[in-house]
Amino acid sequence: MGGAFGACHGPDVGLDFGNLSAGLSALVIGEQPIADAVALSQWMRSAWVA
């Protein structure tokens, strides 16, 4: 992305809440997230409630 976002804070929010196909998450990882992104999101959410 050529540094378009600079020091971008917030791309992890979609991962934290399982919202991978909208907003900044969709822009960064694509509207159809790969299995690794989905798995990471699930892991992150389970760690939050552990």
Side-chain angles (χ1 to χ4, degrees):
M1 296 189 174
F5 293 111
C8 184
H9 303 282
D12 61 311
V13 173
L15 292 166
D16 295 333
F17 294 100
N19 182 11
L20 303 177
S21 59
L24 185 57
S25 295
L27 184 61
V28 173
I29 62 176
E31 291 181 11
Q32 296 296 322
I34 61 171
D36 286 344
V38 173
L40 176 60
S41 177
Q42 291 171 338
W43 179 83
M44 291 172 72
R45 288 181 283 135
S46 67
W48 273 66
V49 296

